[in-house]
Amino acid sequence: MRETPRAEPPQPRPHRAEAHTTGASCSGTPHRSDGRPPHTPRGARQPGPPGRPGTTPPVPGRPALFSALVALAVVTWQVLVHGPLARLDERVSRSLVDTVPRWLSELASDLGNLTVALPVLAAAMAYAAFRGRRRQALSAGLAMAAVPLLVVPLKEWTARPGPLEPWAHGYYPSGHTATAMVAYFGAAWLVSRRLVPVAAVLTAVTGTGLVLRGFHWPLDVVASVALCVPLLRWPVMAERYGRRDRAEGVRE
């Protein structure tokens, strides 16, 4: 009885084998035999500064910006209608006022004074301008100049009384908190990113001192923080555009 001839195993097709071999010598790129760049946007990017892609990616932080604006709108609405959030805010504030020595809370509050925060920002702006980052320094200065332009109308519109001075109006939002946040974060961004945590601590200490001393309600501080998030985008964006311009200048 004759054996049935065994079927030979299928031979790989030449054109498919080439598609899965390692690229040309020194390329080290799989799925590519001729060393050409892949037909994808990522592969088509031109190299920029060391460790950075040449093209500018989408700017991060937009969800945070949107969240800050929503928080500002909700808190302002609650203050205007004296809603449940505003009433809770007042109860919390009354339980916190004068829980620490007044000299300590006043010292923390003074970090938001113009005489303290503005020289810090001015020194950082001078340093950045000396290092050739004039656009970034100007953006930080414009952010600080915008603080009273935004805070004062909100104070007039809401006319919220103070924790210890119910006969006075114009406590919402906190101007001292906004001044501290823009000044210290702007200075940190101009000098060194490593100083950003220091700026966050200084801003938090300022807001806490204002609440513990009874100069502001907690929501006044929260609203100022939300208000300053868009303002702090200016020096950040100026830095990124300046970096992109320098990279393009090097390539040219």
Side-chain angles (χ1 to χ4, degrees), residues 153-201:
L154 274 174
K155 286 180 176 288
E156 296 291 333
W157 181 37
T158 56
R160 192 182 195 190
L164 301 180
E165 297 178 345
W167 59 87
H169 298 280
Y171 281 80
Y172 176 91
S174 167
H176 279 66
T177 303
T179 299
M181 186 169 179
V182 172
Y184 297 136
F185 273 93
W189 191 262
L190 292 175
V191 176
S192 174
R193 306 299 180 273
R194 298 178 180 178
L195 296 176
V196 169
V198 178
V201 170

mmCIF file of all heavy atoms in Angstrom, residues 153-201:
data_model
loop_
_atom_site.group_PDB
_atom_site.id
_atom_site.type_symbol
_atom_site.label_atom_id
_atom_site.label_comp_id
_atom_site.label_asym_id
_atom_site.label_seq_id
_atom_site.Cartn_x
_atom_site.Cartn_y
_atom_site.Cartn_z
ATOM 1 N N PRO A 153 -14.393 95.148 40.330
ATOM 2 C CA PRO A 153 -15.793 95.065 39.879
ATOM 3 C C PRO A 153 -16.582 93.955 40.567
ATOM 4 O O PRO A 153 -17.771 94.129 40.868
ATOM 5 C CB PRO A 153 -15.668 94.816 38.372
ATOM 6 C CG PRO A 153 -14.338 95.357 38.005
ATOM 7 C CD PRO A 153 -13.458 95.079 39.182
ATOM 8 N N LEU A 154 -15.943 92.810 40.829
ATOM 9 C CA LEU A 154 -16.641 91.732 41.527
ATOM 10 C C LEU A 154 -16.986 92.136 42.957
ATOM 11 O O LEU A 154 -18.062 91.796 43.476
ATOM 12 C CB LEU A 154 -15.782 90.464 41.528
ATOM 13 C CG LEU A 154 -15.905 89.560 40.302
ATOM 14 C CD1 LEU A 154 -14.895 88.427 40.382
ATOM 15 C CD2 LEU A 154 -17.319 89.008 40.170
ATOM 16 N N LYS A 155 -16.095 92.857 43.609
ATOM 17 C CA LYS A 155 -16.387 93.346 44.955
ATOM 18 C C LYS A 155 -17.589 94.294 44.948
ATOM 19 O O LYS A 155 -18.479 94.211 45.813
ATOM 20 C CB LYS A 155 -15.162 94.071 45.527
ATOM 21 C CG LYS A 155 -14.024 93.160 45.958
ATOM 22 C CD LYS A 155 -12.872 93.978 46.497
ATOM 23 C CE LYS A 155 -11.755 93.092 47.035
ATOM 24 N NZ LYS A 155 -12.135 92.438 48.303
ATOM 25 N N GLU A 156 -17.616 95.181 43.972
ATOM 26 C CA GLU A 156 -18.728 96.136 43.880
ATOM 27 C C GLU A 156 -20.040 95.433 43.557
ATOM 28 O O GLU A 156 -21.103 95.797 44.057
ATOM 29 C CB GLU A 156 -18.412 97.190 42.808
ATOM 30 C CG GLU A 156 -17.212 98.065 43.121
ATOM 31 C CD GLU A 156 -17.475 98.997 44.284
ATOM 32 O OE1 GLU A 156 -18.654 99.338 44.515
ATOM 33 O OE2 GLU A 156 -16.500 99.387 44.966
ATOM 34 N N TRP A 157 -19.979 94.431 42.704
ATOM 35 C CA TRP A 157 -21.196 93.739 42.266
ATOM 36 C C TRP A 157 -21.776 92.882 43.381
ATOM 37 O O TRP A 157 -22.982 92.904 43.634
ATOM 38 C CB TRP A 157 -20.862 92.878 41.040
ATOM 39 C CG TRP A 157 -22.031 92.141 40.480
ATOM 40 C CD1 TRP A 157 -23.320 92.577 40.383
ATOM 41 C CD2 TRP A 157 -22.007 90.808 39.931
ATOM 42 N NE1 TRP A 157 -24.113 91.605 39.804
ATOM 43 C CE2 TRP A 157 -23.338 90.524 39.518
ATOM 44 C CE3 TRP A 157 -21.005 89.859 39.735
ATOM 45 C CZ2 TRP A 157 -23.673 89.305 38.931
ATOM 46 C CZ3 TRP A 157 -21.343 88.660 39.145
ATOM 47 C CH2 TRP A 157 -22.661 88.389 38.755
ATOM 48 N N THR A 158 -20.927 92.098 44.043
ATOM 49 C CA THR A 158 -21.442 91.187 45.065
ATOM 50 C C THR A 158 -21.735 91.898 46.383
ATOM 51 O O THR A 158 -22.672 91.519 47.093
ATOM 52 C CB THR A 158 -20.435 90.057 45.311
ATOM 53 O OG1 THR A 158 -19.161 90.623 45.661
ATOM 54 C CG2 THR A 158 -20.268 89.200 44.063
ATOM 55 N N ALA A 159 -20.922 92.910 46.730
ATOM 56 C CA ALA A 159 -21.130 93.693 47.959
ATOM 57 C C ALA A 159 -21.307 92.796 49.185
ATOM 58 O O ALA A 159 -22.198 92.987 50.006
ATOM 59 C CB ALA A 159 -22.333 94.625 47.795
ATOM 60 N N ARG A 160 -20.441 91.822 49.306
ATOM 61 C CA ARG A 160 -20.552 90.901 50.434
ATOM 62 C C ARG A 160 -19.955 91.520 51.698
ATOM 63 O O ARG A 160 -18.856 92.062 51.670
ATOM 64 C CB ARG A 160 -19.809 89.595 50.123
ATOM 65 C CG ARG A 160 -20.118 88.490 51.121
ATOM 66 C CD ARG A 160 -19.354 87.222 50.855
ATOM 67 N NE ARG A 160 -19.931 86.116 51.599
ATOM 68 C CZ ARG A 160 -19.385 84.917 51.720
ATOM 69 N NH1 ARG A 160 -18.231 84.663 51.122
ATOM 70 N NH2 ARG A 160 -19.975 83.964 52.424
ATOM 71 N N PRO A 161 -20.662 91.451 52.829
ATOM 72 C CA PRO A 161 -20.105 91.979 54.083
ATOM 73 C C PRO A 161 -18.992 91.090 54.606
ATOM 74 O O PRO A 161 -18.857 89.930 54.211
ATOM 75 C CB PRO A 161 -21.312 91.999 55.028
ATOM 76 C CG PRO A 161 -22.214 90.941 54.493
ATOM 77 C CD PRO A 161 -22.022 90.937 53.009
ATOM 78 N N GLY A 162 -18.200 91.642 55.529
ATOM 79 C CA GLY A 162 -17.082 90.893 56.080
ATOM 80 C C GLY A 162 -17.461 90.096 57.310
ATOM 81 O O GLY A 162 -18.492 90.366 57.949
ATOM 82 N N PRO A 163 -16.654 89.119 57.685
ATOM 83 C CA PRO A 163 -16.955 88.301 58.873
ATOM 84 C C PRO A 163 -17.011 89.113 60.160
ATOM 85 O O PRO A 163 -17.878 88.872 61.011
ATOM 86 C CB PRO A 163 -15.805 87.294 58.902
ATOM 87 C CG PRO A 163 -15.286 87.258 57.507
ATOM 88 C CD PRO A 163 -15.470 88.627 56.968
ATOM 89 N N LEU A 164 -16.110 90.067 60.303
ATOM 90 C CA LEU A 164 -16.068 90.873 61.524
ATOM 91 C C LEU A 164 -16.632 92.272 61.328
ATOM 92 O O LEU A 164 -16.738 93.029 62.302
ATOM 93 C CB LEU A 164 -14.618 90.982 62.030
ATOM 94 C CG LEU A 164 -13.929 89.648 62.358
ATOM 95 C CD1 LEU A 164 -12.508 89.900 62.844
ATOM 96 C CD2 LEU A 164 -14.726 88.866 63.396
ATOM 97 N N GLU A 165 -16.975 92.616 60.109
ATOM 98 C CA GLU A 165 -17.519 93.948 59.817
ATOM 99 C C GLU A 165 -18.758 93.795 58.931
ATOM 100 O O GLU A 165 -18.717 94.042 57.725
ATOM 101 C CB GLU A 165 -16.466 94.807 59.122
ATOM 102 C CG GLU A 165 -15.234 95.085 59.976
ATOM 103 C CD GLU A 165 -14.204 95.905 59.228
ATOM 104 O OE1 GLU A 165 -14.315 96.019 57.989
ATOM 105 O OE2 GLU A 165 -13.288 96.439 59.871
ATOM 106 N N PRO A 166 -19.885 93.377 59.508
ATOM 107 C CA PRO A 166 -21.090 93.168 58.690
ATOM 108 C C PRO A 166 -21.648 94.452 58.081
ATOM 109 O O PRO A 166 -22.444 94.381 57.138
ATOM 110 C CB PRO A 166 -22.084 92.553 59.685
ATOM 111 C CG PRO A 166 -21.588 92.943 61.025
ATOM 112 C CD PRO A 166 -20.109 93.042 60.925
ATOM 113 N N TRP A 167 -21.254 95.593 58.603
ATOM 114 C CA TRP A 167 -21.728 96.860 58.050
ATOM 115 C C TRP A 167 -20.931 97.280 56.806
ATOM 116 O O TRP A 167 -21.363 98.141 56.051
ATOM 117 C CB TRP A 167 -21.610 97.956 59.115
ATOM 118 C CG TRP A 167 -20.216 98.146 59.607
ATOM 119 C CD1 TRP A 167 -19.246 98.949 59.075
ATOM 120 C CD2 TRP A 167 -19.615 97.484 60.710
ATOM 121 N NE1 TRP A 167 -18.079 98.832 59.766
ATOM 122 C CE2 TRP A 167 -18.276 97.949 60.793
ATOM 123 C CE3 TRP A 167 -20.064 96.558 61.654
ATOM 124 C CZ2 TRP A 167 -17.399 97.502 61.783
ATOM 125 C CZ3 TRP A 167 -19.195 96.129 62.623
ATOM 126 C CH2 TRP A 167 -17.877 96.592 62.696
ATOM 127 N N ALA A 168 -19.762 96.674 56.604
ATOM 128 C CA ALA A 168 -18.928 96.994 55.437
ATOM 129 C C ALA A 168 -19.209 96.003 54.316
ATOM 130 O O ALA A 168 -19.654 94.883 54.549
ATOM 131 C CB ALA A 168 -17.451 96.966 55.819
ATOM 132 N N HIS A 169 -18.955 96.423 53.092
ATOM 133 C CA HIS A 169 -19.219 95.578 51.933
ATOM 134 C C HIS A 169 -18.006 95.581 51.007
ATOM 135 O O HIS A 169 -17.176 96.489 51.051
ATOM 136 C CB HIS A 169 -20.456 96.072 51.167
ATOM 137 C CG HIS A 169 -21.714 96.033 51.971
ATOM 138 N ND1 HIS A 169 -22.441 94.884 52.159
ATOM 139 C CD2 HIS A 169 -22.370 97.016 52.651
ATOM 140 C CE1 HIS A 169 -23.495 95.148 52.918
ATOM 141 N NE2 HIS A 169 -23.470 96.438 53.234
ATOM 142 N N GLY A 170 -17.923 94.551 50.184
ATOM 143 C CA GLY A 170 -16.839 94.456 49.215
ATOM 144 C C GLY A 170 -15.738 93.503 49.621
ATOM 145 O O GLY A 170 -14.556 93.783 49.399
ATOM 146 N N TYR A 171 -16.113 92.360 50.179
ATOM 147 C CA TYR A 171 -15.122 91.386 50.626
ATOM 148 C C TYR A 171 -14.934 90.229 49.655
ATOM 149 O O TYR A 171 -14.036 89.428 49.842
ATOM 150 C CB TYR A 171 -15.519 90.823 52.001
ATOM 151 C CG TYR A 171 -15.182 91.757 53.136
ATOM 152 C CD1 TYR A 171 -16.006 92.834 53.440
ATOM 153 C CD2 TYR A 171 -14.047 91.573 53.900
ATOM 154 C CE1 TYR A 171 -15.703 93.693 54.475
ATOM 155 C CE2 TYR A 171 -13.734 92.430 54.937
ATOM 156 C CZ TYR A 171 -14.562 93.487 55.222
ATOM 157 O OH TYR A 171 -14.250 94.355 56.239
ATOM 158 N N TYR A 172 -15.791 90.128 48.664
ATOM 159 C CA TYR A 172 -15.721 88.993 47.741
ATOM 160 C C TYR A 172 -15.340 89.483 46.342
ATOM 161 O O TYR A 172 -16.018 90.389 45.810
ATOM 162 C CB TYR A 172 -17.071 88.284 47.681
ATOM 163 C CG TYR A 172 -17.131 87.138 46.677
ATOM 164 C CD1 TYR A 172 -16.813 85.850 47.059
ATOM 165 C CD2 TYR A 172 -17.476 87.364 45.354
ATOM 166 C CE1 TYR A 172 -16.860 84.807 46.147
ATOM 167 C CE2 TYR A 172 -17.523 86.336 44.437
ATOM 168 C CZ TYR A 172 -17.213 85.064 44.841
ATOM 169 O OH TYR A 172 -17.245 84.034 43.934
ATOM 170 N N PRO A 173 -14.295 88.923 45.742
ATOM 171 C CA PRO A 173 -13.329 87.946 46.250
ATOM 172 C C PRO A 173 -12.196 88.624 47.005
ATOM 173 O O PRO A 173 -12.174 89.850 47.123
ATOM 174 C CB PRO A 173 -12.833 87.278 44.976
ATOM 175 C CG PRO A 173 -12.884 88.370 43.957
ATOM 176 C CD PRO A 173 -14.082 89.214 44.306
ATOM 177 N N SER A 174 -11.254 87.823 47.475
ATOM 178 C CA SER A 174 -10.145 88.341 48.267
ATOM 179 C C SER A 174 -9.050 88.900 47.374
ATOM 180 O O SER A 174 -8.425 88.173 46.610
ATOM 181 C CB SER A 174 -9.571 87.234 49.155
ATOM 182 O OG SER A 174 -8.338 87.619 49.704
ATOM 183 N N GLY A 175 -8.820 90.204 47.490
ATOM 184 C CA GLY A 175 -7.757 90.820 46.706
ATOM 185 C C GLY A 175 -6.375 90.403 47.170
ATOM 186 O O GLY A 175 -5.447 90.270 46.359
ATOM 187 N N HIS A 176 -6.218 90.203 48.488
ATOM 188 C CA HIS A 176 -4.920 89.786 49.004
ATOM 189 C C HIS A 176 -4.532 88.395 48.488
ATOM 190 O O HIS A 176 -3.372 88.161 48.138
ATOM 191 C CB HIS A 176 -4.944 89.771 50.539
ATOM 192 C CG HIS A 176 -4.744 91.118 51.150
ATOM 193 N ND1 HIS A 176 -5.657 92.129 51.006
ATOM 194 C CD2 HIS A 176 -3.729 91.623 51.912
ATOM 195 C CE1 HIS A 176 -5.235 93.206 51.650
ATOM 196 N NE2 HIS A 176 -4.057 92.922 52.213
ATOM 197 N N THR A 177 -5.504 87.491 48.427
ATOM 198 C CA THR A 177 -5.207 86.150 47.922
ATOM 199 C C THR A 177 -4.822 86.202 46.442
ATOM 200 O O THR A 177 -3.869 85.531 46.014
ATOM 201 C CB THR A 177 -6.415 85.224 48.112
ATOM 202 O OG1 THR A 177 -6.777 85.205 49.491
ATOM 203 C CG2 THR A 177 -6.113 83.818 47.653
ATOM 204 N N ALA A 178 -5.561 86.990 45.667
ATOM 205 C CA ALA A 178 -5.250 87.101 44.243
ATOM 206 C C ALA A 178 -3.873 87.719 44.022
ATOM 207 O O ALA A 178 -3.100 87.266 43.168
ATOM 208 C CB ALA A 178 -6.323 87.931 43.549
ATOM 209 N N THR A 179 -3.554 88.747 44.804
ATOM 210 C CA THR A 179 -2.237 89.371 44.681
ATOM 211 C C THR A 179 -1.127 88.383 45.000
ATOM 212 O O THR A 179 -0.124 88.283 44.278
ATOM 213 C CB THR A 179 -2.145 90.582 45.620
ATOM 214 O OG1 THR A 179 -3.141 91.540 45.257
ATOM 215 C CG2 THR A 179 -0.772 91.229 45.540
ATOM 216 N N ALA A 180 -1.296 87.637 46.094
ATOM 217 C CA ALA A 180 -0.272 86.663 46.476
ATOM 218 C C ALA A 180 -0.113 85.578 45.425
ATOM 219 O O ALA A 180 1.015 85.217 45.049
ATOM 220 C CB ALA A 180 -0.635 86.043 47.831
ATOM 221 N N MET A 181 -1.210 85.058 44.917
ATOM 222 C CA MET A 181 -1.129 83.947 43.975
ATOM 223 C C MET A 181 -0.461 84.358 42.674
ATOM 224 O O MET A 181 0.430 83.664 42.169
ATOM 225 C CB MET A 181 -2.537 83.408 43.698
ATOM 226 C CG MET A 181 -2.556 82.166 42.833
ATOM 227 S SD MET A 181 -4.189 81.399 42.804
ATOM 228 C CE MET A 181 -3.886 80.024 41.703
ATOM 229 N N VAL A 182 -0.856 85.501 42.116
ATOM 230 C CA VAL A 182 -0.269 85.939 40.851
ATOM 231 C C VAL A 182 1.191 86.320 41.042
ATOM 232 O O VAL A 182 2.057 85.989 40.212
ATOM 233 C CB VAL A 182 -1.080 87.109 40.268
ATOM 234 C CG1 VAL A 182 -0.368 87.702 39.057
ATOM 235 C CG2 VAL A 182 -2.469 86.639 39.869
ATOM 236 N N ALA A 183 1.498 86.988 42.144
ATOM 237 C CA ALA A 183 2.875 87.432 42.364
ATOM 238 C C ALA A 183 3.820 86.263 42.594
ATOM 239 O O ALA A 183 4.882 86.169 41.956
ATOM 240 C CB ALA A 183 2.923 88.393 43.551
ATOM 241 N N TYR A 184 3.458 85.355 43.483
ATOM 242 C CA TYR A 184 4.380 84.279 43.850
ATOM 243 C C TYR A 184 4.470 83.210 42.769
ATOM 244 O O TYR A 184 5.560 82.710 42.466
ATOM 245 C CB TYR A 184 3.958 83.679 45.188
ATOM 246 C CG TYR A 184 4.028 84.675 46.315
ATOM 247 C CD1 TYR A 184 3.007 84.779 47.261
ATOM 248 C CD2 TYR A 184 5.103 85.552 46.426
ATOM 249 C CE1 TYR A 184 3.065 85.714 48.285
ATOM 250 C CE2 TYR A 184 5.165 86.492 47.447
ATOM 251 C CZ TYR A 184 4.142 86.563 48.372
ATOM 252 O OH TYR A 184 4.206 87.497 49.378
ATOM 253 N N PHE A 185 3.339 82.844 42.166
ATOM 254 C CA PHE A 185 3.402 81.869 41.082
ATOM 255 C C PHE A 185 4.086 82.468 39.859
ATOM 256 O O PHE A 185 4.845 81.785 39.168
ATOM 257 C CB PHE A 185 2.005 81.371 40.724
ATOM 258 C CG PHE A 185 1.545 80.202 41.539
ATOM 259 C CD1 PHE A 185 0.816 80.398 42.690
ATOM 260 C CD2 PHE A 185 1.848 78.912 41.169
ATOM 261 C CE1 PHE A 185 0.388 79.333 43.466
ATOM 262 C CE2 PHE A 185 1.434 77.829 41.927
ATOM 263 C CZ PHE A 185 0.703 78.042 43.078
ATOM 264 N N GLY A 186 3.805 83.735 39.568
ATOM 265 C CA GLY A 186 4.480 84.384 38.444
ATOM 266 C C GLY A 186 5.980 84.460 38.648
ATOM 267 O O GLY A 186 6.766 84.204 37.732
ATOM 268 N N ALA A 187 6.399 84.796 39.874
ATOM 269 C CA ALA A 187 7.835 84.858 40.163
ATOM 270 C C ALA A 187 8.475 83.488 40.046
ATOM 271 O O ALA A 187 9.585 83.349 39.500
ATOM 272 C CB ALA A 187 8.045 85.437 41.556
ATOM 273 N N ALA A 188 7.796 82.463 40.556
ATOM 274 C CA ALA A 188 8.343 81.113 40.463
ATOM 275 C C ALA A 188 8.491 80.681 39.012
ATOM 276 O O ALA A 188 9.483 80.042 38.638
ATOM 277 C CB ALA A 188 7.452 80.136 41.233
ATOM 278 N N TRP A 189 7.513 81.010 38.191
ATOM 279 C CA TRP A 189 7.577 80.609 36.784
ATOM 280 C C TRP A 189 8.702 81.327 36.057
ATOM 281 O O TRP A 189 9.351 80.770 35.170
ATOM 282 C CB TRP A 189 6.242 80.902 36.096
ATOM 283 C CG TRP A 189 6.152 80.284 34.739
ATOM 284 C CD1 TRP A 189 6.389 80.889 33.541
ATOM 285 C CD2 TRP A 189 5.834 78.924 34.443
ATOM 286 N NE1 TRP A 189 6.219 80.000 32.515
ATOM 287 C CE2 TRP A 189 5.884 78.785 33.037
ATOM 288 C CE3 TRP A 189 5.504 77.829 35.219
ATOM 289 C CZ2 TRP A 189 5.617 77.590 32.405
ATOM 290 C CZ3 TRP A 189 5.234 76.633 34.582
ATOM 291 C CH2 TRP A 189 5.291 76.525 33.195
ATOM 292 N N LEU A 190 8.989 82.568 36.447
ATOM 293 C CA LEU A 190 10.035 83.327 35.780
ATOM 294 C C LEU A 190 11.436 82.921 36.230
ATOM 295 O O LEU A 190 12.387 83.004 35.454
ATOM 296 C CB LEU A 190 9.833 84.829 36.047
ATOM 297 C CG LEU A 190 8.605 85.471 35.408
ATOM 298 C CD1 LEU A 190 8.474 86.910 35.859
ATOM 299 C CD2 LEU A 190 8.666 85.399 33.885
ATOM 300 N N VAL A 191 11.580 82.494 37.471
ATOM 301 C CA VAL A 191 12.899 82.201 38.018
ATOM 302 C C VAL A 191 13.238 80.718 37.877
ATOM 303 O O VAL A 191 14.243 80.339 37.273
ATOM 304 C CB VAL A 191 12.994 82.639 39.495
ATOM 305 C CG1 VAL A 191 14.340 82.244 40.094
ATOM 306 C CG2 VAL A 191 12.794 84.152 39.606
ATOM 307 N N SER A 192 12.399 79.843 38.443
ATOM 308 C CA SER A 192 12.667 78.408 38.400
ATOM 309 C C SER A 192 11.393 77.651 38.712
ATOM 310 O O SER A 192 10.674 77.994 39.662
ATOM 311 C CB SER A 192 13.757 78.034 39.418
ATOM 312 O OG SER A 192 13.908 76.624 39.474
ATOM 313 N N ARG A 193 11.114 76.589 37.941
ATOM 314 C CA ARG A 193 9.922 75.780 38.179
ATOM 315 C C ARG A 193 9.987 75.095 39.537
ATOM 316 O O ARG A 193 8.974 74.713 40.094
ATOM 317 C CB ARG A 193 9.765 74.713 37.092
ATOM 318 C CG ARG A 193 9.779 75.243 35.683
ATOM 319 C CD ARG A 193 8.651 76.232 35.400
ATOM 320 N NE ARG A 193 8.724 76.687 34.038
ATOM 321 C CZ ARG A 193 9.454 77.721 33.638
ATOM 322 N NH1 ARG A 193 10.193 78.372 34.523
ATOM 323 N NH2 ARG A 193 9.448 78.100 32.380
ATOM 324 N N ARG A 194 11.184 74.934 40.070
ATOM 325 C CA ARG A 194 11.314 74.291 41.370
ATOM 326 C C ARG A 194 10.719 75.125 42.495
ATOM 327 O O ARG A 194 10.487 74.611 43.594
ATOM 328 C CB ARG A 194 12.790 74.014 41.662
ATOM 329 C CG ARG A 194 13.444 73.059 40.677
ATOM 330 C CD ARG A 194 14.913 72.864 40.987
ATOM 331 N NE ARG A 194 15.547 71.950 40.040
ATOM 332 C CZ ARG A 194 16.832 71.631 40.065
ATOM 333 N NH1 ARG A 194 17.624 72.154 40.988
ATOM 334 N NH2 ARG A 194 17.322 70.790 39.167
ATOM 335 N N LEU A 195 10.487 76.404 42.241
ATOM 336 C CA LEU A 195 9.918 77.282 43.250
ATOM 337 C C LEU A 195 8.392 77.273 43.249
ATOM 338 O O LEU A 195 7.785 77.948 44.085
ATOM 339 C CB LEU A 195 10.413 78.719 43.027
ATOM 340 C CG LEU A 195 11.920 78.932 43.194
ATOM 341 C CD1 LEU A 195 12.290 80.369 42.848
ATOM 342 C CD2 LEU A 195 12.347 78.598 44.615
ATOM 343 N N VAL A 196 7.780 76.549 42.322
ATOM 344 C CA VAL A 196 6.314 76.511 42.274
ATOM 345 C C VAL A 196 5.706 75.978 43.572
ATOM 346 O O VAL A 196 4.724 76.538 44.072
ATOM 347 C CB VAL A 196 5.846 75.692 41.048
ATOM 348 C CG1 VAL A 196 4.360 75.410 41.114
ATOM 349 C CG2 VAL A 196 6.177 76.450 39.765
ATOM 350 N N PRO A 197 6.240 74.904 44.182
ATOM 351 C CA PRO A 197 5.684 74.485 45.476
ATOM 352 C C PRO A 197 5.796 75.565 46.550
ATOM 353 O O PRO A 197 4.915 75.687 47.403
ATOM 354 C CB PRO A 197 6.521 73.241 45.830
ATOM 355 C CG PRO A 197 7.008 72.730 44.525
ATOM 356 C CD PRO A 197 7.245 73.931 43.690
ATOM 357 N N VAL A 198 6.872 76.343 46.514
ATOM 358 C CA VAL A 198 7.011 77.443 47.475
ATOM 359 C C VAL A 198 5.912 78.485 47.248
ATOM 360 O O VAL A 198 5.313 79.002 48.201
ATOM 361 C CB VAL A 198 8.405 78.082 47.355
ATOM 362 C CG1 VAL A 198 8.547 79.264 48.309
ATOM 363 C CG2 VAL A 198 9.485 77.051 47.615
ATOM 364 N N ALA A 199 5.625 78.783 45.978
ATOM 365 C CA ALA A 199 4.555 79.725 45.664
ATOM 366 C C ALA A 199 3.206 79.209 46.147
ATOM 367 O O ALA A 199 2.383 79.966 46.664
ATOM 368 C CB ALA A 199 4.519 79.985 44.158
ATOM 369 N N ALA A 200 2.976 77.902 45.997
ATOM 370 C CA ALA A 200 1.718 77.318 46.467
ATOM 371 C C ALA A 200 1.593 77.432 47.983
ATOM 372 O O ALA A 200 0.516 77.753 48.508
ATOM 373 C CB ALA A 200 1.631 75.852 46.033
ATOM 374 N N VAL A 201 2.684 77.209 48.694
ATOM 375 C CA VAL A 201 2.653 77.312 50.156
ATOM 376 C C VAL A 201 2.395 78.751 50.586
ATOM 377 O O VAL A 201 1.574 79.011 51.483
ATOM 378 C CB VAL A 201 3.978 76.791 50.750
ATOM 379 C CG1 VAL A 201 4.065 77.111 52.233
ATOM 380 C CG2 VAL A 201 4.099 75.291 50.531
#
